[in-house]
Amino acid sequence: MADTVASPLVEMCDISIAFGGVKAVDRASLDLFPGEVVGLLGHNGAGKSTLIKILSGAYKPDDGEIRVNGQTASIRNPADAKKYGIETIYQTLALADNVDAAANVFLGRELLTRWGTLDDGAMEMQTRKVMARLNPHFHRFKMPVRALSGGQRQSVAIARAIHFDARILIMDEPTAALGPAETKQVADLVRQLKTEGIGIFLISHDIHDVFDLADRVFVMKNGRVVGSVRVANVTKDEVLGMIILGKCPPSATPGPGAVR
Amino acid sequence: MNDLLAKLEIDIRLVGMVAALGLVWIGFDYFTGGLFLTPRNLWNLSVQTASIATMSCGMVLVIVTRSIDLSVGSILGFAGMIVGVVQARFLPVDLGWGYDNHWIWLVAVLAGLGIGGLIGTIQGFIIAYLGVSSFIVTLGGLLVWRGAAWWVTQGQTVAPIDARFQMLGGGIKGSVGAPVSWAIGIVTTLLVIGLMLLARRRRIAYGFSIRPAWSEAAIYGVVAITILGVTWIFNAYYIPVSVARRIVEASGQVWPEGGVQIAHGYAIPVLIAIVAGILVSFLAIRTRFGRYLFAIGGNPEAAELSGIRTRRTQMLVFTLMGVLCGLAACISTARLQSATNATGTFDELYVIAATVIGGTSLAGGVGTIHGAMLGAVLMGSLQSGMLLLDMPTPLQNIVVGCVLVLAVWVDGVFRRRVG
C-alpha cells in the first residue's frame, strides 16, 4: 500500500490529559497518512473528542508528543494548529450565531483592506465561492447564521475548515444533526477531499457513519486506545466488539486499552 | 411588508426608536405648552446628554461581550477629581505654571483619559485574566472609585476650572458658532453620502445585490435633512443680547441699532460625543477588534477555538470604557465648572439604561453605537421634559424606571416577531 511507504501526516504519541484527577485520555497514540480517512470510534465519554481537541489546540496535553510530517509540532492554541494546516469541524460547529456566514468563515483570519480595515466585500466574495462548491442553493449571505438551517450551518462550518488549504481535517460527529441528503453530501465531500491528498479524522460514536468512508479505524474506550484496524480486514461486529468489550480481533493492532 | 423592508435594508429598530423619540418630544412639547421643542431646550438637551452618550458608546461594546460595567459613574467621579486637581492645583501651583497657561487644559484632558484608561485596564485585567465576573469587579469599582474620588481632596470641591478647559462643557464660549456649524453640517453630509456611494460602488463591483436607486436616494435625503436640520436648530439658538453686545463691542465694532443675533451652533461637548460615537462605531464595525467583540458575545467558545485572543480583547474593552469615562469626566467637570466627588453618581444606571434602550442585548452579541446614543438622547429627553413639567424628583425616577422596563419589553416582543 502506498500509505505505508509515505511518512505519516500526523502522529500523536503517548498523549495523556487529566481533568481534576480523571484521566480523560491515557497514553493514546494514533497516526494519519495523506489522502487517508481515519475513523475514531468509541462510546460517548471514551475520550475521542478530548484527544482530537488536543490536536486542534483547544486543550494542552499533560504528556506526549505531536508530530506533523515527522517534525515535532508545538501546538499550544487553536491558532498554532491552523498554522500546521490542521482544521477542525467541531460537533457543536463553533459558530458565532450573531454574525453572518462570511464573518464566521474568516473568524480569526479576516481579510483586510490596505488601510487595515475589514474587507467585507472580499470576504463575502470568497465565501460565496466556497459555499457554491459545498451548498449551491445557499444564498443567505447577509443573515446571521442563527437564522440558517442545520445543514446550512454545517456548510458554513465546513467552508471555514476547507477554505484555508487544510492538510489535516478533523470532523467531530459531522453528520449528527443532518438529514439523509445532507449526510450524503458530507460523504461525497470527504471522498473528494481524500483525492486531494488531505488526511481526515472522522470522529463518531456510530460505526455505520464511519465504515463506508474510513480506510482505518481507531477505537477508544475509557480514555485508552483499544486498537486500530484496516476497515477492509474486519467486520462491523468485530469493531463493535472493540468498542463495547475492548477486545481486539486478530487483524487489529492492539493498543494500551485492549483486553487481553 | 417585512420583505420590502428587508430588501431596502432599513434598520426597522432604528426607525422604531426615532418614532418613540418623536412621540416623547411631541408629548412633552404639548404638555409644556411649546417649551420643549425650542432651539434653546434642544440645545441644552444636547449638552446635558453629551457625557452619558459618550460613555454609552463604550457600554455597548462591554455589554456586547457579555459583560457589564457598573463602575462608570464612579470612574467618572474619580477621573473628574483628578482632572480638577491637575488644572486647579497641581499644574498652576505645585509646578508653578500659573493659571493662564495655554496647555493646562490639554494636560488635564490627557490626565483624565489616562487615569480612566488605567482604571479600566486594571478592572479588565481582573475580569479577563483572573476570571472574576465583571458584575462583581465593577460593583467593587463602583464603591472603590467613588471613595477614591472623595479621598483626592477629602471631599472638597475643586475650583476654579481653567477657562479653556471650560469650553469642553459647552456654554457660550464652548460653542462653535453658526458659520463653523454650517461648515461641519455640510461637510459631514457630503462625507456620509460619499461613503455610502463608495460602499454601493463596491457592492456593484462585486456583483452583490444593492438597494433600488430610489430608496438609496431617499436615504441620502433623510441623512441630509437630519444633519442639516440639527445644524439649523442649534444655529437658531442665539446667545443673550447683552452678551452679544459685549462681544461685538469688544471686537471694536459698533453695536447696530436693531442689534445682531449671534448663534450658539454646535456645543463642543456635543461634537466630542459625536466624534467619540463615530470612532467607536468604526472600531466596532470596520476593524478586527470589533469583529472579535461580536464573535465573543455570540459564542465565546467559538471565538476561542478560532484562535482569537479572547482575554486580551476583553481586557481592552474595559480599557476603552475607562478612557471614555475619562472623556465624560472632562465634559462633566467643564460643564459644572467644578470638580466634586459626587459628580457622575448614578450615571452607570443612565448609561446602561441608554445602551439597553438603544437595542443592545444583555445576552451579548447584539448592539449598535448609534442606537445607544439615541437611547441616551431619549433618557435625556425624559429628564429634561419632566424638569420642564416641574415634576418632583422621586416621580421622575419612577417614570424613568418604568420607561426602561417598558422599552426593553417592547424591544423583546419586536425581536421575537421580526427577528
Side-chain angles (χ1 to χ4, degrees):
Chain A
M1 293 227 111
D3 54 35
T4 52
V5 186
S7 71
L9 206 51
V10 186
E11 290 166 276
M12 296 181 80
C13 308
D14 290 324
I15 303 284
S16 297
I17 187 170
F19 297 109
V22 180
K23 285 220 160 181
V25 174
D26 188 7
R27 285 173 292 128
S29 300
L30 48 81
D31 53 1
L32 173 71
F33 290 84
E36 189 186 31
V37 178
V38 164
L40 191 53
L41 291 166
H43 283 309
N44 289 330
K48 313 174 301 265
S49 285
T50 309
L51 179 61
I52 230 64
K53 276 191 170 171
I54 290 171
L55 184 59
S56 65
Y59 296 144
K60 270 176 275 187
D62 299 332
D63 205 7
E65 192 189 20
I66 298 172
R67 286 198 285 270
V68 177
N69 287 328
Q71 308 278 317
T72 302
S74 137
I75 297 175
R76 284 157 306 162
N77 55 50
D80 285 346
K82 286 170 202 225
K83 265 181 235 148
Y84 288 107
I86 301 170
E87 295 286 342
T88 312
I89 300 159
Y90 293 96
Q91 187 175 0
T92 56
L93 301 185
L95 298 172
D97 276 335
N98 55 331
V99 294
D100 62 18
N104 269 291
V105 168
F106 286 91
L107 194 56
R109 291 182 279 201
E110 288 76 8
L111 300 179
L112 300 179
T113 64
R114 75 190 107 125
W115 295 287
T117 59
L118 295 173
D119 195 341
D120 282 324
M123 288 193 269
E124 186 177 335
M125 195 70 207
Q126 300 222 19
T127 304
R128 278 172 189 261
K129 269 191 202 148
V130 61
M131 288 301 279
R133 180 177 155 200
L134 291 175
N135 194 341
H137 304 299
F138 186 85
H139 55 268
R140 305 173 84 184
F141 288 97
K142 282 276 161 243
M143 296 275 183
V145 299
R146 175 190 299 125
L148 306 181
S149 72
Q152 290 172 332
R153 289 160 55 84
Q154 182 91 32
S155 306
V156 174
I158 295 176
R160 173 166 64 186
I162 66 170
H163 180 68
F164 295 93
D165 297 324
R167 292 187 302 132
I168 299 147
L169 187 61
I170 301 168
M171 302 173 99
D172 193 353
E173 306 276 0
T175 56
L178 300 185
E182 288 157 334
T183 303
K184 186 179 170 300
Q185 242 176 13
V186 171
D188 290 344
L189 178 72
V190 167
R191 290 195 188 93
Q192 187 197 337
L193 295 172
K194 183 177 149 77
T195 62
E196 293 171 15
I198 296 173
I200 299 171
F201 278 121
L202 213 54
I203 300 153
S204 182
H205 64 277
D206 180 359
I207 71 164
H208 306 291
D209 279 353
V210 174
F211 231 74
D212 301 333
L213 287 171
D215 300 301
R216 262 191 313 154
V217 293
F218 279 80
V219 176
M220 287 189 77
K221 186 169 165 32
N222 301 332
R224 296 202 186 119
V225 173
V226 172
S228 66
V229 63
R230 301 214 138 267
V231 170
N233 303 340
V234 57
T235 64
K236 279 188 186 174
D237 283 344
E238 284 173 317
V239 174
L240 272 176
M242 293 170 80
I243 296 172
I244 298 167
L245 304 171
K247 215 172 76 178
C248 278
S251 52
T253 316
V259 176
R260 284 165 216 282
Chain B
M1 181 63 179
N2 285 346
D3 280 356
L4 179 69
L5 285 170
K7 204 173 279 173
L8 299 184
E9 291 178 36
I10 291 172
D11 187 347
I12 319 172
R13 307 256 311 272
L14 187 65
V15 176
M17 277 199 61
V18 172
L21 188 63
L23 271 175
V24 167
W25 281 14
I26 291 167
F28 275 130
D29 198 52
Y30 177 77
F31 287 110
T32 55
L35 283 179
F36 192 87
L37 290 180
T38 56
R40 174 195 160 89
N41 188 54
L42 293 176
W43 188 90
N44 280 329
L45 173 64
S46 75
V47 174
Q48 284 156 10
T49 305
S51 152
I52 298 289
T54 302
M55 288 191 284
S56 70
C57 305
M59 191 60 81
V60 172
L61 303 187
V62 168
I63 295 181
V64 158
T65 56
R66 301 192 181 184
S67 302
I68 192 77
D69 194 336
L70 301 173
S71 65
V72 294
S74 295
I75 297 179
L76 186 153
F78 181 64
M81 289 306 287
I82 298 290
V83 163
V85 167
V86 162
Q87 62 184 293
R89 299 192 187 158
F90 181 66
L91 293 177
V93 181
D94 297 344
L95 289 190
W97 287 22
Y99 283 103
D100 204 29
N101 192 294
H102 288 247
W103 298 108
I104 284 180
W105 74 272
L106 185 63
V107 177
V109 168
L110 292 177
L113 301 183
I115 198 76
L118 182 68
I119 292 171
T121 307
I122 293 169
Q123 295 190 154
F125 179 84
I126 297 172
I127 292 160
Y129 289 96
L130 305 186
V132 186
S133 89
S134 59
F135 185 92
I136 296 301
V137 172
T138 59
L139 184 61
L142 169 84
L143 297 168
V144 168
W145 306 117
R146 184 60 66 196
W150 184 88
W151 218 277
V152 177
T153 59
Q154 308 292 311
Q156 282 178 30
T157 298
V158 181
I161 293 303
D162 179 79
R164 289 178 192 82
F165 187 88
Q166 280 185 26
M167 291 166 73
L168 302 176
I172 291 168
K173 283 186 182 161
S175 305
V176 295
V180 177
S181 294
W182 279 122
I184 291 173
I186 291 167
V187 169
T188 312
T189 306
L190 293 177
L191 219 60
V192 172
I193 292 179
L195 286 173
M196 289 178 74
L197 272 171
L198 218 64
R200 186 179 170 84
R201 268 181 47 190
R202 283 179 68 86
R203 287 194 67 82
I204 293 174
Y206 278 117
F208 299 160
S209 65
I210 46 170
R211 287 192 191 106
W214 61 266
S215 108
E216 188 88 1
I219 290 171
Y220 295 167
V222 171
V223 165
I225 289 170
T226 308
I227 299 176
L228 296 176
V230 170
T231 311
W232 177 76
I233 290 168
F234 289 159
N235 279 341
Y237 177 37
Y238 303 109
I239 65 179
V241 176
S242 58
V243 182
R245 181 165 195 163
R246 230 181 297 141
I247 291 174
V248 168
E249 285 172 356
S251 69
Q253 287 164 311
V254 189
W255 181 250
E257 190 66 25
V260 277
Q261 288 185 312
I262 302 179
H264 279 81
Y266 283 102
I268 289 174
V270 175
L271 292 175
I272 293 174
I274 291 172
V275 170
I278 291 171
L279 289 180
V280 177
S281 232
F282 177 84
L283 195 70
I285 299 168
R286 298 256 40 99
T287 69
R288 275 192 161 162
F289 178 73
R291 178 64 48 87
Y292 294 168
L293 298 181
F294 281 89
I296 290 170
N299 187 344
E301 197 202 5
E304 186 93 47
L305 291 174
S306 321
I308 295 171
R309 293 158 75 181
T310 50
R311 287 165 191 269
R312 200 182 72 132
T313 308
Q314 197 174 28
M315 184 180 81
L316 288 176
V317 172
F318 282 92
T319 305
L320 178 65
M321 181 75 249
V323 170
L324 289 169
C325 291
L327 188 58
C330 294
I331 293 174
S332 295
T333 307
R335 186 165 75 86
L336 303 172
Q337 300 184 5
S338 66
T340 79
N341 60 329
T343 307
T345 306
F346 291 133
D347 271 10
E348 59 280 342
L349 302 182
Y350 289 110
V351 170
I352 293 169
T355 307
V356 172
I357 285 179
T360 301
S361 158
L362 283 172
V366 179
T368 60
I369 312 297
H370 58 259
M373 296 190 87
L374 260 180
V377 174
L378 190 67
M379 298 289 295
S381 301
L382 286 177
Q383 285 181 297
S384 152
M386 291 188 295
L387 216 62
L388 285 179
L389 286 175
D390 259 339
M391 246 190 230
T393 313
L395 188 57
Q396 290 185 26
N397 290 339
I398 290 172
V399 172
V400 169
C402 293
V403 167
L404 172 64
V405 176
L406 180 78
V408 174
W409 175 67
V410 169
D411 189 52
V413 170
F414 173 83
R415 223 184 276 255
R416 281 191 289 277
R417 288 264 172 87
V418 187

